[in-house]
Amino acid sequence: MPTAVTTPKNPLHPSVLPRLDKQYASFYNKYMANAPMIQDLPWDPAVRSSPAVPGGAAALPVSKTEDINLGDFSIRVFYPIEAPEGPLPIFIWYHGGGMVLGGINAENPFCTRVANSAKCVVVTVDYRMAPEYQFPIGHEDAWTAFEWVYKNGKDRLGVDVGRFGIGGSSSGGNLAAFVSQKAGLEGIPLNFMVLGVPVCDNTATAESYKSWNVNRYCPGLPAPKMLWYRDQYLPKEEDRSDPVSSPLYGSDESFTSSVDKVFIALAELDLLRSEGEAYSEKLKSFGKDVDCRTYPGVPHAVQAMDGVLDIARKWIKDMCTYVAVQFGRHPADVAMEDLYPENVEVDVPQIEGGGPWLKLNSPMVLGEAPLYREEDKTLHYVDCLQDPAELHILQLDNQGEAVGQPKIYQLEESVTVHFFRENQPGYICAYFAGVAFMKEDENGQMKLEILKEIIPQNERSIRRFNDGGVDCQGRFWLAEIDRKGLSLGMGRLPADYGEPLGRLWRYDPDGSLHLMEKGLVCGNGLAWSPDNKTMYLNDSAAGLVFAYDFDIPTGNISNKRLFIDRRDLGGEPDGMVVSVDGNLWIAMWASSRVMVYDSRGTHLKDIKFSARNMACTSWGGPKYDTLYIASAMDKRPNRRSDDDGGHLFKYQVGVEGVRKYKFKG
């Protein structure tokens, strides 16, 4: 018997679907399409106990929270974890909800992320709401909270009120804009303001703003809902054009004296987008430094859906980054994996890879270049930053398990990557300055035979070699690091840095050397597709993976294109291998993960381990379907005490890996 098809109470309008973010549409159809609209229900204050919008991420742990009663309402104070010494800066956040919904718990998850990432104290305000309390009560509470923090913050909260920011979302953005103007008129300095989908003009209609026309049927805030909210708090029409409720109509003096730096996040499909754009332009006309961004494909309230939307996470990260930068931090200090430690991207499955497969007697400083040899079932890898550098050879049994601890050779130069030679003993390798053969001498010492010194002595302070690969014709590829660029960290290159110094070279079996690529910060993870027609190259510190067309007979590369972009998402693409199905298995430095992408660049899944710095991957084992991973110590001052960096990890994939080629020279 066929199943009856029911029509949702509030289906997505046909005019919206082609423009709507696919994640949002999917979540809406599953969880929101049958929810009644608040304007169609009898009013019940109990509705405030539930989130106004589903799909939010959980709050992060902070060092302390404190609720303070200010008489008619209260504020909540969030103190960050791992805060620096001395008085911290202060940021006040006003929650959204149309001046009707929300409360002290409404936007705690966002407040915890701002506190921890910007290393500041965050205050959220439980202002009184309509319909019980109408205009101007909410605005008066917003100002009372701000004034109390400004006057009492130093002694009561231990903060530096000389470093002060405010912000808010939706109706909370309206409150923040009002406070910024009143503070300016009263001579109270503010450093910056952050607004998300703010209500800037409470007289707005379809006749006055384009977005009220094109987005009138968009979910989140369709026109009837917005008008209902307005009626609850602003029942008197004359109050709607008051500059207090509509900051767009503030006096020239209030705009002139208002805060100088402003970040505004707008949603493309929001009813309120046009008035936000108008407010941004008016601020700019008064010389304000405004960073106004419109996020594509999403409607109002997207900020509250960071548990289910990737674009909402980017929105949150952008806001947190802005606050952090205003308080003296670097943009790269705000990492997506810290904001969302459980799963950086919403729809990417997370698989627990666990702890070390083999705990070494002495952890490696930086484990690199694991390489499996089937003939004798051994795993070869280097600790390139040990002093002196080391080559480890680990015996495995028939099941791919370790037999004891590795045999360790001390090296005369730091070798960063190595490959076996075809029909010859030993390896070809990249040492810090060039290409060499490496093999054991009659005294049991591992010796280098220098073939090409590519980086001269006077350039070793600015460049060194890092990773490499051997292509299907037996040619050796080796990639450099720009040492200064790498030392700055991912995402920290100044805009005026110029072209990074790292290069990619190809060393052929006939001894010829070819410069193949320039402009790398940290060349890494060379790998080829199973048919050898595509070459992949990571630039770790840039957060990028590139793909090239690869010409097998000549070894030439062409058609460079961006294949994976991790700049906003975090994780530095390090060592990389390919499975026979074409998937890339990438050790993502600073993320505790090996990430898996398919040949189209789609992120398939993550495997999480107990070491932050997963450095390099290799295939091995009896079926060549086991991933062996070398890791590195976490040397950050605030590192976790239980981090297992410097040991070896293993993961049974179940899909055969593409075998490494040998150098034909």
Side-chain angles (χ1 to χ4, degrees):
M1 194 173 174
T3 304
V5 177
T6 59
T7 302
K9 291 180 182 178
N10 296 295
L12 292 168
H13 194 272
S15 67
V16 175
L17 277 172
R19 301 183 286 151
L20 193 59
D21 177 85
K22 287 182 173 57
Q23 281 183 326
Y24 187 99
S26 175
F27 185 81
Y28 182 91
N29 286 331
K30 190 171 182 180
Y31 297 104
M32 300 168 70
N34 278 305
M37 294 286 186
I38 190 169
Q39 69 270 19
D40 298 330
L41 296 173
W43 171 246
D44 183 354
V47 72
R48 295 184 182 129
S49 62
S50 300
V53 179
L60 294 179
V62 292
S63 66
K64 184 178 73 169
T65 62
E66 180 184 9
D67 288 356
I68 299 174
N69 191 305
L70 298 187
D72 293 321
F73 65 97
S74 62
I75 61 174
R76 177 166 292 165
V77 188
F78 301 84
Y79 294 85
I81 57 173
E82 299 169 352
E85 294 293 327
L88 298 178
I90 179 72
F91 181 70
I92 289 185
W93 182 255
Y94 299 100
H95 70 78
M99 302 301 294
V100 176
L101 302 180
I104 195 71
N105 299 311
E107 298 185 26
N108 287 359
F110 175 70
C111 293
T112 61
R113 285 172 171 82
V114 174
N116 287 344
S117 58
K119 302 304 178 192
C120 66
V121 172
V122 176
V123 169
T124 187
V125 182
D126 194 21
Y127 56 87
R128 290 171 288 175
M129 290 177 288
E132 298 91 335
Y133 300 96
Q134 295 176 336
F135 180 81
I137 297 299
H139 288 76
E140 291 173 352
D141 289 352
W143 176 256
T144 297
F146 169 79
E147 191 174 42
W148 185 92
V149 171
Y150 182 71
K151 291 179 178 178
N152 299 280
K154 179 180 178 181
D155 295 330
R156 181 66 177 79
L157 306 180
V159 300
D160 177 5
V161 294
R163 294 185 291 161
F164 208 140
I166 63 170
S169 63
S170 192
S171 56
N174 178 281
L175 297 176
F178 152 71
V179 169
S180 76
Q181 293 182 348
K182 185 171 175 60
L185 292 172
E186 298 203 6
I188 301 175
L190 279 171
N191 298 101
F192 64 92
M193 179 167 63
V194 175
L195 305 178
V197 291
V199 178
C200 300
D201 182 358
N202 267 305
T203 72
T205 64
E207 287 71 42
S208 56
Y209 289 108
K210 178 181 177 181
S211 63
W212 273 69
N213 269 313
V214 298
N215 295 332
R216 64 186 180 276
Y217 298 121
C218 287
L221 191 65
K225 181 185 282 189
M226 179 60 200
L227 293 174
W228 181 86
Y229 282 136
R230 185 184 292 172
D231 287 342
Q232 306 311 300
Y233 185 64
L234 292 157
K236 298 177 182 177
E237 190 168 347
E238 62 267 25
D239 289 336
R240 297 172 185 176
S241 58
D242 188 316
V244 172
S245 67
S246 293
L248 186 61
Y249 299 140
S251 66
D252 287 358
E253 184 183 2
S254 69
F255 270 94
T256 300
S257 60
S258 180
V259 60
D260 287 331
K261 294 185 177 182
V262 183
F263 179 94
I264 303 176
L266 304 176
E268 181 190 15
L269 308 189
D270 185 14
L271 198 75
L272 309 182
R273 190 194 72 222
S274 294
E275 61 193 77
E277 292 167 344
Y279 182 64
S280 169
E281 291 305 311
K282 189 164 184 180
L283 285 167
K284 290 177 183 177
S285 73
F286 283 88
K288 307 303 180 181
D289 180 0
V290 182
D291 183 348
C292 184
R293 305 183 190 183
T294 299
Y295 293 77
V298 286
H300 193 84
V302 63
Q303 179 178 333
M305 300 177 70
D306 56 334
V308 295
L309 302 181
D310 286 324
I311 195 166
R313 294 189 172 194
K314 178 173 174 16
W315 179 302
I316 298 292
K317 183 174 183 286
D318 290 347
M319 280 189 165
C320 289
T321 300
Y322 188 87
V323 176
V325 168
Q326 301 310 312
F327 287 148
R329 306 199 81 208
H330 191 279
D333 290 333
V334 183
M336 191 71 86
E337 61 262 25
D338 294 329
L339 295 174
Y340 299 96
E342 294 306 312
N343 58 328
V344 172
E345 291 156 90
V346 169
D347 290 330
V348 177
Q350 305 293 298
I351 300 168
E352 289 298 329
W357 159 65
L358 179 65
K359 277 217 169 191
L360 302 172
N361 290 338
S362 179
M364 295 176 288
V365 180
L366 173 55
E368 288 281 21
L371 183 64
Y372 179 70
R373 187 161 64 194
E374 294 180 80
E375 293 88 340
D376 61 356
K377 301 180 181 63
T378 51
L379 186 68
H380 305 235
Y381 55 94
V382 294
D383 184 356
C384 62
L385 294 186
Q386 190 61 261
D387 188 17
E390 296 174 345
L391 169 70
H392 294 197
I393 301 178
L394 177 65
Q395 183 66 55
L396 306 182
D397 64 19
N398 290 332
Q399 284 72 48
E401 296 298 331
V403 179
Q405 289 281 313
K407 183 177 182 180
I408 298 176
Y409 295 88
Q410 292 189 337
L411 303 176
E412 51 198 327
E413 289 273 7
S414 180
V415 169
T416 58
V417 66
H418 57 284
F419 290 88
F420 300 122
R421 298 171 64 189
E422 191 172 87
N423 301 320
Q424 297 287 339
Y427 319 79
I428 189 168
C429 66
Y431 69 102
F432 266 27
V435 185
F437 287 145
M438 179 171 64
K439 66 178 181 179
E440 188 175 0
D441 67 10
E442 62 277 7
N443 298 316
Q445 301 296 311
M446 201 61 68
K447 293 294 184 181
L448 296 185
E449 177 190 342
I450 305 300
L451 302 174
K452 290 280 187 182
E453 183 186 83
I454 300 172
I455 302 175
Q457 191 70 39
N458 64 342
E459 291 186 6
R460 294 191 186 186
S461 62
I462 60 173
R463 291 188 179 100
R464 73 165 174 86
F465 276 103
N466 187 41
D467 206 353
V470 172
D471 67 31
C472 61
Q473 296 297 305
R475 296 168 290 227
F476 180 45
W477 296 69
L478 56 164
E480 293 176 348
I481 281 173
D482 176 338
R483 300 185 78 156
K484 180 180 178 182
L486 180 65
S487 71
L488 295 174
M490 181 175 167
R492 297 174 186 268
L493 246 59
D496 60 353
Y497 188 80
E499 183 179 72
L501 300 175
R503 301 167 294 190
L504 175 67
W505 300 85
R506 194 188 78 217
Y507 181 78
D508 290 358
D510 64 5
S512 59
L513 183 68
H514 309 270
L515 178 61
M516 305 302 294
E517 182 64 286
K518 298 192 297 182
L520 302 173
V521 183
C522 181
N524 226 327
L526 272 85
W528 284 262
S529 60
D531 64 5
N532 294 300
K533 293 181 179 179
T534 303
M535 187 185 85
Y536 302 102
L537 172 67
N538 299 340
D539 191 340
S540 297
L544 304 172
V545 179
F546 297 102
Y548 301 78
D549 291 345
F550 185 75
D551 185 68
I552 295 172
T554 65
N556 291 331
I557 54 176
S558 60
N559 188 28
K560 179 182 181 181
R561 58 224 182 248
L562 181 58
F563 185 67
I564 298 169
D565 187 345
R566 298 293 308 177
R567 286 175 293 186
D568 285 328
L569 298 171
E572 302 176 32
D574 205 317
M576 174 170 62
V577 291
V578 177
S579 49
V580 294
D581 55 8
N583 291 343
L584 280 67
W585 301 73
I586 310 171
M588 285 287 178
W589 184 271
S591 78
S592 304
R593 289 166 167 85
V594 169
M595 296 186 180
V596 187
Y597 285 80
D598 69 14
S599 57
R600 296 166 297 179
T602 303
H603 193 172
L604 301 178
K605 58 186 173 183
D606 289 349
I607 308 159
K608 295 174 63 178
F609 297 94
S610 60
R612 182 175 187 268
N613 294 327
M614 306 306 289
C616 199
T617 52
S618 183
W619 296 109
K623 296 182 180 180
Y624 220 73
D625 64 351
T626 300
L627 208 60
Y628 294 96
I629 310 129
S631 68
M633 292 181 181
D634 183 4
K635 292 192 168 185
R636 300 175 304 158
N638 61 340
R639 64 187 178 274
R640 289 180 49 166
S641 59
D642 60 350
D643 187 87
D644 286 315
H647 299 290
L648 292 174
F649 292 78
K650 184 176 79 165
Y651 182 73
Q652 187 73 32
V653 173
V655 176
E656 187 177 340
V658 174
R659 283 162 166 75
K660 300 277 189 181
Y661 293 102
K662 297 180 180 180
F663 180 68
K664 293 185 177 180

